[in-house]
Amino acid sequence: MGCGGAGRTPAACPCPTDRARRPVAEAARCYCRAVPGARLWALEPGVEAPARESMPQTPPFTAMFDSSGYNRNLYQSKEDSCGGLYYHDNNLLSGSLEALIQHLVPNVDYYPDRTYIFTFLLSSRLFMHPYELMAKVCHLCMEHQRINDPGTDKSQIRKIAPKILQLLTEWTETFPYDFRDERMMRNLKELAQRIASGDEMYRKNVQQIIQSLIRKLASLSQYEEVLAKINASSTDRLTVLKTKPQSIQRDIITVCNDPYMLAQQLTHIELERLNYIGPEEFVQAFVQKDPLDNNKSCYADRKKTRNLEAYVEWFNRLSYLVATEICMPVKKKHRARMIEYFIDVARECFNIGNFNSLMAIISGMNMSPVSRLKKTWAKVKTAKFDILEHQMDPSSNFYNYRTALRGAAQRSLTAHSNREKIVIPFFSLLIKDIYFLNEGCANRLPNGHVNFEKFWELAKQVSEFMTWKQVECPFERDRKILQYLLTVPVFSEDALYLASYESEGPENHVEKDRWKALRSTLLGRV
């Protein structure tokens, strides 16, 4: 993720800004060193977008994690009292890994709380591969519940089978990407078929679970194929600069002159990309070798975060697209008009609840090649921009933004329409919050127990994200605008500086030397 590593504090980000009154620029630019030209899958002619898979209704994340208490439904059963789980005030705080696995598996008289299922499935990958966990779960289900025993009474199987099927349903719906591993799928099918063979009434349930999972994985594969195609065809916009005249070049305003419409299409892109991020990616992004894991095989394959990284690349692309659109016009009045246009787009993003696009736009407008255009900025009415930057000011740990985010989240909870449900967080800050939570607490306690209290807090943060990413975008798609946003070439950082110097000449010897070097290397001119 380049400089997008969430451990970087905003002040440590190396990107300069000439407009010192805009401190938000440095915080926003914490993605700055990722590849600026990266482009995500697009609505190109002949390339259809994969059908969006809606996220599962179980577990119901908004209901699962509330502020009234910690795991209030995680009661202590007889098995737990001597089974290696530690409780305080009826809340599960820690336990041995084996005991936590046991606690995940239902029996005739017990089904784990949904908060526990989500939290443990989310965090267990820090200690073992999902396929290893699935193998243990299958073993416990078949052996301990005697599903494998031909002599087991069918009435006994009927008592436990629905609970096992429910556990498999919640796993496959909430963490479907785990099942891209053939070992996972093999274990799933084996356990499901054992249950189905015990009674015909469960065969249909098993088929539904597997078919739904296959559809999700097929959609993901299609998404990744289009991503790869777009990335392979990405080009730098410097070729556009070399092949003037600029009078025939399109810009964003000629494609969409309505800021509200552009904000809507940006929201389409944001929600579509959020939809493909699995909750486990937030944990896998920070996976480290478990000191109690004796398995010497490489654990790096647990770091599967490609959808999260693709979303980071989208933020970068939007920032560089904004800077490119501003630096491209030859005339000062056209550049000023472009700045004012993006200010209006950013404001509409804020009103919608699309904070990620808002910050990407602010970031692009505060890149040095844009901020140094003093003659251009002199023609811009910046009052609205100042208000937006105040909302996203990094001071006091982004206090203003966090207040606005809480307001949007509250609106979403009581919403009567998808339009009011939209909450798209500033993604870099979300990752950073999760990073610091992960870094600030140990995964294991001194006695070797898994620190479940930590993972409960982690699950609360991720579950809120899961609620937001389920929202269906209520706005009508505009294929032409989406295609432009996702496929038009953008300038690299060097090309942006060159375009900026071409628009408003260098002001000092350092800038003059850089301008000459860029003209030589990028344009082949002296």
Side-chain angles (χ1 to χ4, degrees), residues 70 126 143 195 209 221 238 269 293 298 301 331 352 366 370 385 469 483:
Y70 169 70
L126 289 171
E143 299 299 325
I195 295 171
I209 291 172
S221 295
L238 183 60
I269 295 169
D293 184 2
C298 180
D301 59 339
K331 294 184 178 179
I352 288 172
N366 277 297
V370 177
F385 191 45
K469 70 173 248 178
Q483 182 178 347

Side-chain angles (χ1 to χ4, degrees), residues 179-444:
F179 294 86
R180 300 187 91 179
D181 188 321
E182 291 182 5
R183 296 165 293 190
M184 287 286 290
M185 191 65 85
R186 191 164 55 243
N187 281 327
L188 169 67
K189 289 180 177 178
E190 182 182 353
L191 178 57
Q193 286 168 1
R194 290 285 172 85
I195 295 171
S197 65
D199 199 311
E200 189 64 30
M201 65 184 291
Y202 300 124
R203 191 178 299 277
K204 186 175 180 181
N205 300 87
V206 168
Q207 289 175 343
Q208 288 175 340
I209 291 172
I210 293 176
Q211 287 172 2
S212 175
L213 176 60
I214 289 173
R215 281 196 300 272
K216 285 183 173 65
L217 296 182
S219 176
L220 174 64
S221 295
Q222 188 179 358
Y223 167 74
E224 290 174 349
E225 286 172 9
V226 183
L227 254 183
K229 179 179 178 181
I230 298 305
N231 287 336
S233 63
S234 64
T235 56
D236 191 292
R237 198 161 181 169
L238 183 60
T239 55
V240 179
L241 188 67
K242 289 180 178 178
T243 56
K244 294 181 181 181
Q246 294 192 5
S247 58
I248 62 171
Q249 294 170 7
R250 288 193 307 165
D251 62 26
I252 188 66
I253 295 178
T254 63
V255 175
C256 175
N257 62 7
D258 180 358
Y260 182 54
M261 174 65 78
L262 190 72
Q264 290 181 341
Q265 300 311 303
L266 289 171
T267 303
H268 261 297
I269 295 169
E270 297 279 355
L271 286 174
E272 206 135 37
R273 271 132 202 82
L274 284 179
N275 182 59
Y276 282 97
I277 298 174
E280 70 281 356
E281 294 190 50
F282 291 100
V283 173
Q284 288 164 180
F286 310 120
V287 69
Q288 294 179 346
K289 182 74 170 172
D290 181 5
L292 297 187
D293 184 2
N294 294 322
N295 184 356
K296 303 222 176 179
S297 63
C298 180
Y299 64 95
D301 59 339
R302 273 181 268 180
K303 294 190 71 172
K304 297 173 182 175
T305 56
R306 66 180 69 179
N307 302 298
L308 187 149
E309 290 169 5
Y311 191 53
V312 170
E313 289 170 4
W314 155 247
F315 181 98
N316 285 305
R317 171 173 171 77
L318 180 54
S319 294
Y320 275 82
L321 175 61
V322 168
T324 299
E325 294 285 344
I326 293 171
C327 288
M328 277 291 292
V330 175
K331 294 184 178 179
K332 183 167 48 183
K333 66 177 182 179
H334 291 162
R335 294 194 298 274
R337 181 189 173 206
M338 190 66 73
I339 290 173
E340 291 180 341
Y341 173 80
F342 277 117
I343 291 172
D344 288 337
V345 173
R347 184 177 63 171
E348 297 297 347
C349 286
F350 179 85
N351 292 337
I352 288 172
N354 180 356
F355 298 105
N356 201 57
S357 287
L358 165 62
M359 189 56 112
I361 292 170
I362 292 175
S363 172
M365 295 173 73
N366 277 297
M367 291 177 68
S368 291
V370 177
S371 63
R372 66 169 296 279
L373 299 173
K374 295 176 182 176
K375 294 176 183 176
T376 302
W377 280 98
K379 288 186 163 292
V380 175
K381 297 175 182 176
T382 59
K384 289 185 288 186
F385 191 45
D386 293 338
I387 293 171
L388 291 171
E389 286 207 307
H390 176 72
Q391 288 290 343
M392 304 303 284
D393 191 330
S395 300
S396 303
N397 195 18
F398 285 90
Y399 176 81
N400 294 339
Y401 158 70
R402 292 183 190 277
T403 302
L405 181 67
R406 281 196 302 272
Q410 190 60 41
R411 178 188 70 184
S412 179
L413 288 175
T414 59
H416 299 292
S417 67
N418 279 346
R419 167 65 183 80
E420 296 172 315
K421 288 181 182 178
I422 296 172
V423 183
I424 302 172
F426 173 32
F427 198 63
S428 172
L429 194 59
L430 176 64
I431 293 174
K432 194 174 79 169
D433 286 345
I434 292 174
Y435 173 85
F436 282 121
L437 173 59
N438 184 62
E439 289 292 298
C441 303
N443 291 342
R444 288 190 187 265

Side-chain angles (χ1 to χ4, degrees), residues 94-139:
S94 69
S96 68
L97 188 57
E98 286 301 319
L100 291 169
I101 295 171
Q102 290 271 1
H103 199 58
L104 179 69
V105 179
N107 59 40
V108 173
D109 302 313
Y110 164 76
Y111 187 80
D113 184 86
R114 283 176 174 175
T115 58
Y116 179 78
I117 295 173
F118 179 73
T119 303
F120 185 66
L121 291 180
L122 178 70
S123 58
S124 62
R125 64 200 66 243
L126 289 171
F127 308 99
M128 62 196 306
H129 288 271
Y131 78 84
E132 294 173 316
L133 177 60
M134 174 59 82
K136 286 180 177 288
V137 168
C138 289
H139 173 76

